[in-house]
Amino acid sequence: MGGQRNMSVASSSTRAAPTRKRGRAVEPRPIDERLTPAIRQTLEAGLSRLRGRPVRIQELHRQFSMGSSSFPTERLRVALKGERRPLLVFFKDLNPNHQMEKARAVRALDLEPGRRELQMYETILSPERFGTLHLYGYRWEPEHDRFWAFFEDGGRTVLHNYLDMPRWTAAARWAARFHAATRGLPDTQTRFLPRYDKAHYQGCAERVEQLLPHLEGAEHRLVARGLECFVERIEWLSALPPCVLHGQYFGKNILLRRSKRGPKVVVIDWETAALGPGTFDLVSLTAGKWTSDQRDAMRRAYCEQYETVTGRQIDGEAFREELAAVALYQALEWLAWWGPHRTLSRHFGNFLRELATLLEDDFAAGASRTVEVA
């Protein structure tokens, strides 16, 4: 797992104003123009298939994206023959050997996440149904060490940069619709996805156990207590009804587009998609420095939308119990992930605080948080 969380996204303010953007050092990658002919050929073939007619590119302009995080990305401006308006394309190099410097320090050289993202776009995601991006084309050629993906450019407006609740509750409602639509999909459509089953949760417990000898004092006691609570719930977590989940449903992976009906959510970066409890995505969305009222607003939006779509009422007490257990798992999973790399990021400390809050509010002598969800 990788990426960032919403730990410093929100404060008590709900004003519709963007946060101050944090300066982030990204090593610029030079554009290798020798690849342009192959890029042109891949895009022409993909667009021709998508549109059902031959498409020809007259001009192609490439620009490295300074927003690149895990993989190097480019924004392409494509002039098509017979069309006045240029096509804006987002190009992603999924070769793990080409990962950005920080990503190489914490991520394995694994092709599977990139392949999974492409499979999500090919088999489950739908621009018409879910408002997700069009996959224009891709090139998956291990023999040439090329693993490329070309998406519709969704723009640069990221939910992560905003504090106002209407945008965040819109993201919660989108998640509810997506989870409701993907619950019970046939195995033929989802077999490529990893599953949050007993083995998955036990793997998390084992990674946390490996982390414990490297912790001391209060940190050790806190994580050990969290692990004990988690292990007691593995069987229960394994039995939760699965749906397709994003896996890193954080503000940085949610684009916003203008719409007459309000903010339109566009979810990107599906490398960590899996089959598991949909509350995992809701826990991700609501993690961080939110007030209780703000967090409850997102949870209510999720529940209301899910009930509207499915016609089934959510049991509030069971929902709170599931949220707490899933949040406990997620905090431990991220602690195990960032533990060996804690000098590279502040996130380890953030997850320790998240775990401490959970244990105090939701697992103290069997107490449960009182949250209105419907």
Side-chain angles (χ1 to χ4, degrees):
M1 298 174 75
Q4 302 176 2
R5 298 184 67 171
N6 303 320
M7 290 298 177
S8 59
V9 172
S11 67
S12 59
S13 171
T14 57
R15 290 178 292 112
T19 61
R20 179 180 299 175
K21 292 186 178 180
R22 234 185 254 109
R24 182 172 57 170
V26 175
E27 74 269 24
R29 297 283 180 92
I31 298 296
D32 186 350
E33 294 294 352
R34 293 173 299 178
L35 300 179
T36 300
I39 288 175
R40 178 192 295 264
Q41 181 187 47
T42 306
L43 259 180
E44 286 183 338
L47 290 170
S48 296
R49 283 194 303 270
L50 187 65
R51 298 185 178 188
R53 58 177 176 80
V55 173
R56 292 293 174 261
I57 295 175
Q58 286 186 324
E59 187 177 348
L60 175 63
H61 176 70
R62 300 168 56 195
Q63 181 179 30
F64 176 76
S65 173
M66 293 303 291
S68 301
S69 55
S70 298
F71 294 100
T73 58
E74 297 178 20
R75 282 191 147 87
L76 311 182
R77 189 178 180 88
V78 183
L80 300 177
K81 185 177 181 180
E83 297 186 15
R84 290 186 177 182
R85 297 183 64 178
L87 185 69
L88 303 182
V89 179
F90 191 77
F91 168 44
K92 193 172 184 179
D93 183 351
L94 294 169
N95 190 328
N97 292 309
H98 298 166
Q99 291 179 107
M100 306 301 289
E101 183 177 354
K102 186 175 180 180
R104 286 198 301 271
V106 299
R107 291 172 59 119
L109 299 179
D110 187 4
L111 281 170
E112 185 55 33
R115 182 60 182 161
R116 187 183 310 143
E117 179 170 32
L118 293 177
Q119 289 174 298
M120 279 294 296
Y121 276 94
E122 287 192 304
T123 63
I124 294 175
L125 300 179
S126 165
E128 294 77 23
R129 190 176 185 189
F130 302 122
T132 45
L133 302 176
H134 286 280
L135 174 63
Y136 288 148
Y138 64 89
R139 182 175 288 235
W140 199 265
E141 298 175 339
E143 65 276 14
H144 296 127
D145 210 27
R146 289 179 180 174
F147 307 96
W148 299 345
F150 300 87
F151 302 99
E152 171 189 3
D153 192 332
R156 303 169 190 261
T157 305
V158 182
L159 178 62
H160 178 82
N161 293 330
Y162 291 85
L163 298 177
D164 57 307
M165 276 292 100
R167 290 178 168 90
W168 289 85
T169 53
R173 287 192 294 272
W174 186 94
R177 291 193 297 272
F178 182 75
H179 295 155
T182 59
R183 193 178 297 279
L185 290 178
D187 182 65
T188 53
Q189 198 172 352
T190 61
R191 62 173 52 136
F192 68 93
L193 290 171
R195 295 174 180 266
Y196 285 20
D197 54 13
K198 185 176 180 179
H200 174 86
Y201 292 120
Q202 287 177 333
C204 172
E206 292 169 4
R207 289 188 292 274
V208 176
E209 287 177 349
Q210 294 168 6
L211 171 66
L212 280 173
H214 303 282
L215 303 178
E216 297 178 351
E219 288 186 356
H220 186 281
R221 291 190 295 273
L222 175 66
V223 176
R225 183 182 164 213
L227 178 59
E228 181 181 3
C229 291
F230 171 62
V231 170
E232 293 173 352
R233 289 163 173 80
I234 285 180
E235 291 281 355
W236 181 81
L237 282 166
S238 304
L240 291 174
C243 64
V244 179
L245 53 88
H246 181 277
Q248 290 190 17
Y249 197 61
F250 308 129
K252 73 182 186 68
N253 289 328
I254 302 172
L255 301 176
L256 298 171
R257 283 178 168 173
R258 293 181 180 179
S259 170
K260 293 180 180 179
R261 298 182 180 179
K264 182 180 179 182
V265 169
V266 181
V267 183
I268 60 173
D269 289 350
W270 289 87
E271 299 161 32
T272 53
L275 284 175
T279 44
F280 185 87
D281 283 342
L282 182 60
V283 165
S284 300
L285 187 72
T286 58
K289 296 180 180 179
W290 297 106
T291 65
S292 296
D293 288 344
Q294 289 171 329
R295 189 173 287 110
D296 289 353
M298 287 183 273
R299 291 173 177 175
R300 281 195 301 271
Y302 180 94
C303 290
E304 290 167 359
Q305 186 67 57
Y306 192 89
E307 290 177 339
T308 298
V309 172
T310 63
R312 298 196 299 267
Q313 187 171 3
I314 291 176
D315 182 310
E317 184 176 350
F319 182 73
R320 289 190 292 272
E321 183 181 6
E322 181 175 333
L323 278 177
V326 170
L328 176 64
Y329 153 67
Q330 188 182 71
L332 291 171
E333 184 71 87
W334 283 106
L335 284 170
W337 167 261
W338 282 111
H341 315 292
R342 61 187 302 178
T343 58
L344 299 178
S345 171
R346 70 185 185 284
H347 295 315
F348 186 85
N350 289 336
F351 304 139
L352 281 176
R353 288 189 290 274
E354 193 88 348
L355 178 60
T357 300
L358 277 167
L359 293 178
E360 180 180 352
D361 291 356
D362 295 289
F363 297 97
S368 62
R369 184 180 295 175
T370 56
V371 178
E372 293 184 12
V373 296

